[in-house]
């Protein structure tokens, strides 16, 4: 027999083989052909009878007739592929997406190769083992996490190409944003500082913006050119502001992650204050009626939405000369103006116990959160008659003594 090999498989076999170069490939009714260094492509191999064979005269005549007619004994179509198939990703998800309900990946691959996919996820809820897949591949209901899709092509002869990969993050949750802090929350210098912290376990914090607005200016109107409109501006922690006019401010932070999710903090209050608290007054006292040895006095500073809050009070009590048993005559009120007057921390109401008979003067002075010490209240005078019986007392929680939890009758 003789064999012929031509490039390009399929089609009309007999017609194609007639154009091929024929070479001897064995003797008798069987043979073997070997070819090497074939280029990649499709091939067709054919074998035919080229002469008479052994055996009976009739067999020889049949082979001779077949050879004369160009009869073929066998055909074979095959392909040679040494180049590895390649996957070309044509459409992949963005690096970060906020919604994993529907994700599509598309690719192209040549040579009739098949593809297999593997999806790995930090969410541990998706399939990581390879599975047959075709383009486009639609993935649905992906939970938050990091994803890597690997697509591998394998051709008809078993050659597997290099995998192509697509990676993305599904992040549907906003960043975590701790409440900002003012350090300190009031100042006499016109400078305020704020700290904050934003974290995001998904796509990471992409940026932060801050807003400082003048909520209540001192006197109700901000000086020309000093009002803050409260615009959002890029910022980092700590955020510092200077040359602020007096008033109450509100500071807030927004944080955005790589997927576009945003979180916004509540507003924290802070004050720029160069003016001391004013208008403090005693609101409850014994008045002109003699009091027993236990006296309660109340005091307060008027509310001011623009002023730094009062955070500390100091009280002073001065006893006049004289005193003793029995009801005293109302003497002149003792003065609180002496440098020797002792001021001590207190809170309203202030309860004094065990006072001796005599005349007294009382005053309280406030200090705000910025450290401004306000003017003391006007001196409040009263008279104590220690012989008077004490009324029942309820614990005021002022820490002045007693530790009472209910009614108690003092002898």
């Amino acid at each position: 027999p003789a064999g012929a090999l031509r490039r390009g498989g399929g089609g009309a076999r007999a017609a194609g083989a007639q154009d091929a170069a024929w070479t001897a490939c064995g003797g008798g009714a069987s043979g073997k052909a070997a070819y090497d260094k074939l280029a990649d492509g499709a091939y067709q191999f054919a074998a035919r009878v080229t002469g008479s064979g052994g055996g009976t005269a009739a067999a020889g005549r049949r082979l001779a007739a077949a050879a004369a007619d160009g009869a073929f004994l066998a055909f074979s179509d095959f392909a040679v592929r040494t180049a590895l198939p390649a996957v070309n990703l044509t459409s992949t998800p963005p690096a970060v997406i906020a919604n994993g309900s529907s994700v599509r990946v598309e690719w192209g691959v040549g040579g009739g190769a098949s593809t297999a996919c593997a999806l790995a996820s930090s969410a541990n809820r998706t399939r990581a083992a390879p599975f047959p897949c075709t383009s486009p591949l639609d993935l649905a209901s992906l939970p938050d996490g990091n994803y890597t899709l690997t697509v591998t092509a394998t051709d008809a002869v078993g050659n597997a190409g290099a995998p192509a990969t697509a990676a993305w993050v599904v992040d549907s949750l906003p960043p975590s944003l701790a409440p900002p802090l003012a350090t300190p929350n009031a100042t006499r210098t016109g400078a305020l500082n704020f700290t904050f912290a934003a974290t995001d376990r998904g796509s990471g914090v992409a940026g932060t913006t801050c807003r400082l607005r003048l909520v209540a200016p001192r006197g109700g109107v901000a000086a020309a050119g000093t009002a803050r409109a409260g615009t959002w501006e890029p910022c980092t922690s700590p955020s510092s502001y200077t040359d602020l006019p007096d008033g109450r401010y509100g500071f807030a932070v927004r944080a955005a992650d790589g997927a576009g999710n945003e979180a916004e903090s509540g507003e924290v209050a802070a004050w720029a204050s160069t003016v001391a608290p004013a208008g403090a007054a005693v609101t409850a006292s014994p008045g002109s009626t003699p009091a027993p040895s236990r006296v309660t006095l109340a005091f307060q500073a008027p509310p001011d939405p623009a002023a730094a809050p009062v955070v500390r009070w100091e009280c002073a009590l001065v006893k006049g000369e004289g005193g003793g048993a029995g009801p005293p005559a109302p003497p002149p009120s003792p003065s609180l103006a002496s440098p020797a007057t002792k001021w001590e921390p207190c809170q309203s109401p202030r309860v004094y116990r065990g006072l001796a008979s005599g005349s007294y003067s009382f005053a309280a002075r406030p200090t705000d959160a910025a450290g401004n010490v306000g003017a003391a209240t006007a001196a409040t005078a009263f008279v104590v008659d220690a012989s008077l019986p004490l009324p029942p007392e309820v614990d005021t929680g002022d820490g002045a003594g007693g530790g009472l939890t209910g009614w108690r009758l003092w002898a």
Side-chain angles (χ1 to χ4, degrees):
L5 181 69
R6 76 181 183 93
R7 185 80 175 266
R13 290 181 168 182
Q18 295 292 348
D19 299 330
W22 292 89
T23 58
C25 59
S30 64
K32 181 174 70 173
Y35 302 92
D36 60 4
K37 298 182 180 179
L38 297 178
D40 282 16
Y43 291 86
Q44 186 180 83
F45 172 79
R48 72 179 181 181
V49 176
T50 58
S52 62
T56 65
R61 287 193 297 273
R62 288 194 297 274
L63 288 174
D69 294 337
F72 300 100
L73 299 180
F75 283 97
S76 177
D77 292 315
F78 65 92
V80 174
R81 292 190 180 96
T82 58
L84 299 179
V87 175
N88 178 30
L89 296 177
T90 58
S91 178
T92 59
V96 179
I97 56 178
N99 189 342
S101 61
S102 179
V103 175
R104 169 169 284 196
V105 183
E106 299 180 29
W107 63 86
V109 62
S114 61
T115 50
C117 297
L119 182 65
S121 168
S122 64
N124 294 322
R125 293 173 57 185
T126 52
R127 185 175 179 179
F131 58 94
C133 58
T134 57
S135 178
L137 175 66
D138 290 310
L139 303 169
S141 302
L142 299 181
D144 282 16
N146 299 301
Y147 291 85
T148 301
L149 176 70
T150 302
V151 184
T152 305
T154 303
D155 63 22
V157 296
N159 296 314
T165 59
W168 66 91
V169 176
V170 177
D171 182 6
S172 64
L173 301 176
S176 297
L177 190 58
L181 297 175
T183 54
N185 70 337
T187 177
R188 288 181 289 178
T189 65
L192 289 172
N193 298 299
F194 300 90
T195 60
F196 55 89
T199 57
D200 189 88
R201 298 181 60 185
S203 54
V205 176
T208 51
T209 54
C210 298
R211 181 188 68 188
L212 181 69
R213 66 187 186 98
L214 181 56
V215 178
R218 173 76 72 174
V221 179
T226 62
R228 295 190 63 88
T231 57
W232 292 96
E233 301 170 334
C235 62
T236 57
S237 180
S239 286
S240 300
Y241 303 86
T242 58
D243 300 323
L244 298 174
D246 276 16
R248 178 167 66 90
Y249 290 83
F251 177 82
V253 182
R254 283 177 180 168
D257 63 20
N261 303 303
E262 281 192 348
E264 182 175 330
S265 74
E267 198 169 67
V268 62
W271 292 264
S273 179
T274 58
V275 179
V282 174
T283 58
S285 69
S288 59
T289 303
S293 61
R294 185 180 71 247
V295 174
T296 300
L297 301 110
F299 43 89
Q300 67 177 24
D304 183 346
V310 172
V311 295
R312 185 172 68 253
W313 286 92
E314 294 175 299
C315 295
L317 182 68
V318 176
K319 184 178 182 299
E321 298 296 330
S333 300
S335 173
L336 292 163
S338 169
T341 300
K342 181 180 179 182
W343 293 89
E344 58 184 10
C346 61
Q347 64 182 32
S348 181
R350 176 67 168 99
V351 179
Y352 291 97
R353 298 179 175 87
L355 297 179
S357 296
S359 61
Y360 292 84
S361 282
F362 169 84
R365 65 186 183 191
T367 301
D368 67 19
N372 300 300
V373 179
T377 62
T380 297
F382 60 91
V383 173
V384 170
D385 180 357
S387 66
L388 296 175
L390 292 171
E393 180 182 25
V394 176
D395 183 18
T396 62
D398 64 353
L404 303 177
T405 59
W407 291 97
R408 183 172 180 181
L409 183 63
W410 292 68

